[in-house]
Amino acid sequence: MISVGLDIGSVAAKGVMLAGNNKFQAVLPTGWSPREAGKNIVKTLLDISGFSRSDIDRIVVTGYGRVALTEAYKAVTEITCHARGIAELYPEVRTIIDIGGQDSKVIRINEKGRVIDFAMNDKCAAGTGRFLQVMANTLGLDVSELAENEDQSQITAINSMCTVFAESEIVSLMARGVSKGGIIAGIHQSVARRVAGMVKRVGLQEKVAFTGGVALNAGVRNALRRELGIDIIVPEVCQFTGALGAALLAREA
Amino acid sequence: MISVGLDIGSVAAKGVMLAGNNKFQAVLPTGWSPREAGKNIVKTLLDISGFSRSDIDRIVVTGYGRVALTEAYKAVTEITCHARGIAELYPEVRTIIDIGGQDSKVIRINEKGRVIDFAMNDKCAAGTGRFLQVMANTLGLDVSELAENEDQSQITAINSMCTVFAESEIVSLMARGVSKGGIIAGIHQSVARRVAGMVKRVGLQEKVAFTGGVALNAGVRNALRRELGIDIIVPEVCQFTGALGAALLAREA
Ligand code: SF4
């Protein structure tokens, strides 16, 4: 049985292939075409595994770009796939925080990995990877450079929740000579606060896992620990939990 | 009796001087310092009127930047000042829509010009002048050039309410060769829809006046007429209604 899960996000396309006890994974930028990205991920998985297209029994696709691929593959919501992926990796997790490139979600699951409740923000860039991207750009950094330049000891709170207003706020903080590292710490705090508000709506139940591309950022991870006042689990494969869940659902279908 | 009203907005600082039956008005960019802007407006009003500082009996200041000037002047909220200004110009108005550089408000007033209810958005750039500014910038236009470049006949709806997501949407609409004039019509519609939602919360009661810097934009005016399904009054001095109200309150204090 060879199953593939694809998670076509707004920024990155992720894929996981399960072939018996072997697991292969690949990530590529989504670019302009979610459909092309999906095809390229499958191609990459075949290249690294040595299998051919006809060996794949089933493909499940999830994520923002899944609609573009529904003809060829079964589409499942990200919430279901994340829940399945996390339940496999960490059966003790009851709350999943997923911060992606342009949305954020908080998912409550039961001991069977079933989704009980969730909160989702995909209307407002605040509290998503997009907020970090805009802020990094304003600071003249790549989004991947934010965490390493953070200075927790000089944290400067960003008052505006709105990405657009926060951008102006940061420009004037810089003009006033406020430390860049402290501003970055404030940026991470802003994302954590927004998402902690969503956690409160769903109700905080331990253990908590943090997934999605933004979980790669150590500054946001720490800010989230502080805001929630508890430790959080960050899967090593935090970018791949959705794709893993999709692959498991493909295998189990 | 000589009274002055100042309305220090995020983008423009406006001033009105009432000296007997004479009215003088001035507008300047707020720039970095609301305090300096306030002083410069007073200086300009003195220059054009021929009076000197000691001739002024009272100054009332309103707007975003009013906090910076409270030592020297009496500060009054924008909502009260707008209500007073509009009630003077158009006693038949019951609903005031004010869209400024970084906020929007809907104010319900009674036949005496008293504020009965209001809705305000100063947390989210969508539905404010800031949204228009970001969109104009994305299109390579000055915000003052939006209306003249609009093409109502090819209106393209912008799906994202969020300024940040709408910006990406516009970039991809342009990449797909969608008419710029149609995109601009969609931008105006987006602002009008957001604000029409606020009008609905307060309750639509005629007549409706539209004030604030964004009322200078004919495209937003028309979009608002369409969204509300009624005609709206746009004061000739739409930028100055807050300052006029402040000057009247200074005279009556
Ligand atoms: S608050 Fe800012 S980031 Fe959020 S929807 Fe509004 S414009 Fe977008």
Side-chain angles (χ1 to χ4, degrees), chain A residues 92-113:
Chain A
E92 69 278 23
V93 164
R94 292 293 166 273
T95 308
I96 304 167
I97 295 170
D98 176 61
I99 314 184
Q102 59 184 30
D103 64 8
S104 37
K105 312 180 200 69
V106 175
I107 310 165
R108 156 69 50 77
I109 57 175
N110 67 11
E111 57 291 342
K112 287 171 187 148

PDB file of all heavy atoms in Angstrom, chain A residues 92-113:
ATOM      1  N   GLU A  92      -1.287  12.301  22.953  1.00  0.00           N
ATOM      2  CA  GLU A  92      -1.678  13.020  24.171  1.00  0.00           C
ATOM      3  C   GLU A  92      -2.137  14.446  23.888  1.00  0.00           C
ATOM      4  O   GLU A  92      -2.625  15.138  24.799  1.00  0.00           O
ATOM      5  CB  GLU A  92      -0.523  13.012  25.183  1.00  0.00           C
ATOM      6  CG  GLU A  92       0.704  13.835  24.809  1.00  0.00           C
ATOM      7  CD  GLU A  92       1.690  13.133  23.859  1.00  0.00           C
ATOM      8  OE1 GLU A  92       1.265  12.197  23.129  1.00  0.00           O
ATOM      9  OE2 GLU A  92       2.866  13.538  23.821  1.00  0.00           O
ATOM     10  N   VAL A  93      -2.007  14.907  22.655  1.00  0.00           N
ATOM     11  CA  VAL A  93      -2.372  16.299  22.337  1.00  0.00           C
ATOM     12  C   VAL A  93      -3.882  16.466  22.237  1.00  0.00           C
ATOM     13  O   VAL A  93      -4.578  15.638  21.650  1.00  0.00           O
ATOM     14  CB  VAL A  93      -1.687  16.762  21.031  1.00  0.00           C
ATOM     15  CG1 VAL A  93      -2.345  18.037  20.479  1.00  0.00           C
ATOM     16  CG2 VAL A  93      -0.204  17.007  21.280  1.00  0.00           C
ATOM     17  N   ARG A  94      -4.400  17.544  22.846  1.00  0.00           N
ATOM     18  CA  ARG A  94      -5.836  17.843  22.779  1.00  0.00           C
ATOM     19  C   ARG A  94      -6.108  19.170  22.056  1.00  0.00           C
ATOM     20  O   ARG A  94      -7.227  19.420  21.622  1.00  0.00           O
ATOM     21  CB  ARG A  94      -6.448  17.913  24.194  1.00  0.00           C
ATOM     22  CG  ARG A  94      -6.500  16.575  24.921  1.00  0.00           C
ATOM     23  CD  ARG A  94      -7.462  15.600  24.264  1.00  0.00           C
ATOM     24  NE  ARG A  94      -7.268  14.250  24.763  1.00  0.00           N
ATOM     25  CZ  ARG A  94      -6.382  13.394  24.248  1.00  0.00           C
ATOM     26  NH1 ARG A  94      -5.645  13.724  23.210  1.00  0.00           N
ATOM     27  NH2 ARG A  94      -6.260  12.184  24.749  1.00  0.00           N
ATOM     28  N   THR A  95      -5.088  20.038  21.987  1.00  0.00           N
ATOM     29  CA  THR A  95      -5.261  21.327  21.312  1.00  0.00           C
ATOM     30  C   THR A  95      -4.141  21.522  20.289  1.00  0.00           C
ATOM     31  O   THR A  95      -2.968  21.390  20.623  1.00  0.00           O
ATOM     32  CB  THR A  95      -5.209  22.483  22.344  1.00  0.00           C
ATOM     33  OG1 THR A  95      -6.132  22.215  23.399  1.00  0.00           O
ATOM     34  CG2 THR A  95      -5.558  23.818  21.685  1.00  0.00           C
ATOM     35  N   ILE A  96      -4.543  21.823  19.059  1.00  0.00           N
ATOM     36  CA  ILE A  96      -3.558  22.060  18.001  1.00  0.00           C
ATOM     37  C   ILE A  96      -3.632  23.522  17.578  1.00  0.00           C
ATOM     38  O   ILE A  96      -4.708  24.029  17.258  1.00  0.00           O
ATOM     39  CB  ILE A  96      -3.841  21.178  16.763  1.00  0.00           C
ATOM     40  CG1 ILE A  96      -3.881  19.702  17.148  1.00  0.00           C
ATOM     41  CG2 ILE A  96      -2.819  21.439  15.666  1.00  0.00           C
ATOM     42  CD1 ILE A  96      -4.456  18.811  16.049  1.00  0.00           C
ATOM     43  N   ILE A  97      -2.497  24.176  17.615  1.00  0.00           N
ATOM     44  CA  ILE A  97      -2.406  25.546  17.096  1.00  0.00           C
ATOM     45  C   ILE A  97      -1.666  25.455  15.768  1.00  0.00           C
ATOM     46  O   ILE A  97      -0.546  24.945  15.711  1.00  0.00           O
ATOM     47  CB  ILE A  97      -1.622  26.449  18.070  1.00  0.00           C
ATOM     48  CG1 ILE A  97      -2.380  26.591  19.390  1.00  0.00           C
ATOM     49  CG2 ILE A  97      -1.360  27.818  17.442  1.00  0.00           C
ATOM     50  CD1 ILE A  97      -1.564  27.260  20.485  1.00  0.00           C
ATOM     51  N   ASP A  98      -2.304  25.919  14.724  1.00  0.00           N
ATOM     52  CA  ASP A  98      -1.688  25.841  13.399  1.00  0.00           C
ATOM     53  C   ASP A  98      -1.626  27.248  12.815  1.00  0.00           C
ATOM     54  O   ASP A  98      -2.674  27.854  12.573  1.00  0.00           O
ATOM     55  CB  ASP A  98      -2.533  24.925  12.502  1.00  0.00           C
ATOM     56  CG  ASP A  98      -2.002  24.873  11.082  1.00  0.00           C
ATOM     57  OD1 ASP A  98      -0.851  24.440  10.892  1.00  0.00           O
ATOM     58  OD2 ASP A  98      -2.737  25.292  10.166  1.00  0.00           O
ATOM     59  N   ILE A  99      -0.428  27.770  12.644  1.00  0.00           N
ATOM     60  CA  ILE A  99      -0.299  29.109  12.041  1.00  0.00           C
ATOM     61  C   ILE A  99       0.385  28.966  10.694  1.00  0.00           C
ATOM     62  O   ILE A  99       1.547  28.569  10.591  1.00  0.00           O
ATOM     63  CB  ILE A  99       0.485  30.095  12.936  1.00  0.00           C
ATOM     64  CG1 ILE A  99      -0.006  30.030  14.397  1.00  0.00           C
ATOM     65  CG2 ILE A  99       0.343  31.519  12.391  1.00  0.00           C
ATOM     66  CD1 ILE A  99       0.667  31.043  15.320  1.00  0.00           C
ATOM     67  N   GLY A 100      -0.369  29.269   9.664  1.00  0.00           N
ATOM     68  CA  GLY A 100       0.140  29.122   8.306  1.00  0.00           C
ATOM     69  C   GLY A 100       0.460  30.469   7.682  1.00  0.00           C
ATOM     70  O   GLY A 100       0.427  31.507   8.336  1.00  0.00           O
ATOM     71  N   GLY A 101       0.744  30.435   6.404  1.00  0.00           N
ATOM     72  CA  GLY A 101       1.148  31.633   5.680  1.00  0.00           C
ATOM     73  C   GLY A 101       0.074  32.696   5.599  1.00  0.00           C
ATOM     74  O   GLY A 101       0.372  33.884   5.553  1.00  0.00           O
ATOM     75  N   GLN A 102      -1.191  32.298   5.571  1.00  0.00           N
ATOM     76  CA  GLN A 102      -2.239  33.324   5.553  1.00  0.00           C
ATOM     77  C   GLN A 102      -3.487  32.967   6.347  1.00  0.00           C
ATOM     78  O   GLN A 102      -4.553  33.540   6.122  1.00  0.00           O
ATOM     79  CB  GLN A 102      -2.585  33.771   4.132  1.00  0.00           C
ATOM     80  CG  GLN A 102      -3.074  32.700   3.196  1.00  0.00           C
ATOM     81  CD  GLN A 102      -3.276  33.291   1.813  1.00  0.00           C
ATOM     82  OE1 GLN A 102      -2.606  34.227   1.424  1.00  0.00           O
ATOM     83  NE2 GLN A 102      -4.219  32.754   1.056  1.00  0.00           N
ATOM     84  N   ASP A 103      -3.332  32.059   7.293  1.00  0.00           N
ATOM     85  CA  ASP A 103      -4.434  31.846   8.228  1.00  0.00           C
ATOM     86  C   ASP A 103      -3.908  31.265   9.528  1.00  0.00           C
ATOM     87  O   ASP A 103      -2.733  30.913   9.627  1.00  0.00           O
ATOM     88  CB  ASP A 103      -5.540  30.969   7.619  1.00  0.00           C
ATOM     89  CG  ASP A 103      -5.070  29.565   7.294  1.00  0.00           C
ATOM     90  OD1 ASP A 103      -3.942  29.193   7.665  1.00  0.00           O
ATOM     91  OD2 ASP A 103      -5.835  28.818   6.668  1.00  0.00           O
ATOM     92  N   SER A 104      -4.756  31.216  10.524  1.00  0.00           N
ATOM     93  CA  SER A 104      -4.395  30.540  11.762  1.00  0.00           C
ATOM     94  C   SER A 104      -5.619  29.805  12.288  1.00  0.00           C
ATOM     95  O   SER A 104      -6.748  30.249  12.075  1.00  0.00           O
ATOM     96  CB  SER A 104      -3.832  31.517  12.804  1.00  0.00           C
ATOM     97  OG  SER A 104      -4.488  32.749  12.770  1.00  0.00           O
ATOM     98  N   LYS A 105      -5.351  28.665  12.927  1.00  0.00           N
ATOM     99  CA  LYS A 105      -6.446  27.821  13.420  1.00  0.00           C
ATOM    100  C   LYS A 105      -6.078  27.274  14.785  1.00  0.00           C
ATOM    101  O   LYS A 105      -4.915  27.034  15.073  1.00  0.00           O
ATOM    102  CB  LYS A 105      -6.660  26.597  12.519  1.00  0.00           C
ATOM    103  CG  LYS A 105      -6.727  26.871  11.053  1.00  0.00           C
ATOM    104  CD  LYS A 105      -6.937  25.574  10.292  1.00  0.00           C
ATOM    105  CE  LYS A 105      -6.537  25.702   8.836  1.00  0.00           C
ATOM    106  NZ  LYS A 105      -5.073  25.847   8.615  1.00  0.00           N
ATOM    107  N   VAL A 106      -7.104  27.067  15.585  1.00  0.00           N
ATOM    108  CA  VAL A 106      -6.933  26.354  16.841  1.00  0.00           C
ATOM    109  C   VAL A 106      -7.938  25.209  16.805  1.00  0.00           C
ATOM    110  O   VAL A 106      -9.133  25.435  16.565  1.00  0.00           O
ATOM    111  CB  VAL A 106      -7.189  27.272  18.052  1.00  0.00           C
ATOM    112  CG1 VAL A 106      -7.134  26.470  19.345  1.00  0.00           C
ATOM    113  CG2 VAL A 106      -6.163  28.405  18.085  1.00  0.00           C
ATOM    114  N   ILE A 107      -7.452  23.995  16.971  1.00  0.00           N
ATOM    115  CA  ILE A 107      -8.300  22.805  16.815  1.00  0.00           C
ATOM    116  C   ILE A 107      -8.284  21.992  18.103  1.00  0.00           C
ATOM    117  O   ILE A 107      -7.220  21.650  18.606  1.00  0.00           O
ATOM    118  CB  ILE A 107      -7.799  21.912  15.649  1.00  0.00           C
ATOM    119  CG1 ILE A 107      -7.575  22.758  14.376  1.00  0.00           C
ATOM    120  CG2 ILE A 107      -8.778  20.768  15.374  1.00  0.00           C
ATOM    121  CD1 ILE A 107      -6.746  22.042  13.316  1.00  0.00           C
ATOM    122  N   ARG A 108      -9.444  21.695  18.616  1.00  0.00           N
ATOM    123  CA  ARG A 108      -9.571  20.824  19.780  1.00  0.00           C
ATOM    124  C   ARG A 108      -9.890  19.422  19.291  1.00  0.00           C
ATOM    125  O   ARG A 108     -10.823  19.241  18.486  1.00  0.00           O
ATOM    126  CB  ARG A 108     -10.733  21.350  20.649  1.00  0.00           C
ATOM    127  CG  ARG A 108     -11.399  20.325  21.568  1.00  0.00           C
ATOM    128  CD  ARG A 108     -10.505  19.884  22.690  1.00  0.00           C
ATOM    129  NE  ARG A 108      -9.947  21.034  23.360  1.00  0.00           N
ATOM    130  CZ  ARG A 108     -10.604  21.792  24.231  1.00  0.00           C
ATOM    131  NH1 ARG A 108     -11.831  21.486  24.561  1.00  0.00           N
ATOM    132  NH2 ARG A 108     -10.034  22.814  24.771  1.00  0.00           N
ATOM    133  N   ILE A 109      -9.107  18.440  19.726  1.00  0.00           N
ATOM    134  CA  ILE A 109      -9.368  17.042  19.334  1.00  0.00           C
ATOM    135  C   ILE A 109      -9.573  16.172  20.576  1.00  0.00           C
ATOM    136  O   ILE A 109      -9.079  16.504  21.646  1.00  0.00           O
ATOM    137  CB  ILE A 109      -8.244  16.443  18.439  1.00  0.00           C
ATOM    138  CG1 ILE A 109      -6.870  16.527  19.139  1.00  0.00           C
ATOM    139  CG2 ILE A 109      -8.205  17.128  17.094  1.00  0.00           C
ATOM    140  CD1 ILE A 109      -5.759  15.838  18.361  1.00  0.00           C
ATOM    141  N   ASN A 110     -10.293  15.078  20.391  1.00  0.00           N
ATOM    142  CA  ASN A 110     -10.476  14.150  21.519  1.00  0.00           C
ATOM    143  C   ASN A 110      -9.402  13.066  21.479  1.00  0.00           C
ATOM    144  O   ASN A 110      -8.479  13.115  20.649  1.00  0.00           O
ATOM    145  CB  ASN A 110     -11.900  13.570  21.523  1.00  0.00           C
ATOM    146  CG  ASN A 110     -12.155  12.658  20.341  1.00  0.00           C
ATOM    147  OD1 ASN A 110     -11.233  12.283  19.602  1.00  0.00           O
ATOM    148  ND2 ASN A 110     -13.405  12.296  20.140  1.00  0.00           N
ATOM    149  N   GLU A 111      -9.508  12.092  22.382  1.00  0.00           N
ATOM    150  CA  GLU A 111      -8.453  11.082  22.496  1.00  0.00           C
ATOM    151  C   GLU A 111      -8.362  10.187  21.251  1.00  0.00           C
ATOM    152  O   GLU A 111      -7.373   9.511  21.042  1.00  0.00           O
ATOM    153  CB  GLU A 111      -8.620  10.263  23.783  1.00  0.00           C
ATOM    154  CG  GLU A 111      -9.946   9.548  23.976  1.00  0.00           C
ATOM    155  CD  GLU A 111     -11.137  10.503  24.216  1.00  0.00           C
ATOM    156  OE1 GLU A 111     -10.910  11.687  24.573  1.00  0.00           O
ATOM    157  OE2 GLU A 111     -12.286  10.073  24.026  1.00  0.00           O
ATOM    158  N   LYS A 112      -9.385  10.226  20.416  1.00  0.00           N
ATOM    159  CA  LYS A 112      -9.336   9.448  19.165  1.00  0.00           C
ATOM    160  C   LYS A 112      -8.834  10.271  17.976  1.00  0.00           C
ATOM    161  O   LYS A 112      -8.851   9.809  16.838  1.00  0.00           O
ATOM    162  CB  LYS A 112     -10.740   8.920  18.849  1.00  0.00           C
ATOM    163  CG  LYS A 112     -11.171   7.781  19.764  1.00  0.00           C
ATOM    164  CD  LYS A 112     -12.627   7.463  19.558  1.00  0.00           C
ATOM    165  CE  LYS A 112     -13.104   6.442  20.578  1.00  0.00           C
ATOM    166  NZ  LYS A 112     -14.517   6.641  20.941  1.00  0.00           N
ATOM    167  N   GLY A 113      -8.470  11.553  18.233  1.00  0.00           N
ATOM    168  CA  GLY A 113      -7.976  12.394  17.152  1.00  0.00           C
ATOM    169  C   GLY A 113      -9.104  13.003  16.337  1.00  0.00           C
ATOM    170  O   GLY A 113      -8.871  13.579  15.270  1.00  0.00           O
TER     171      GLY A 113
END
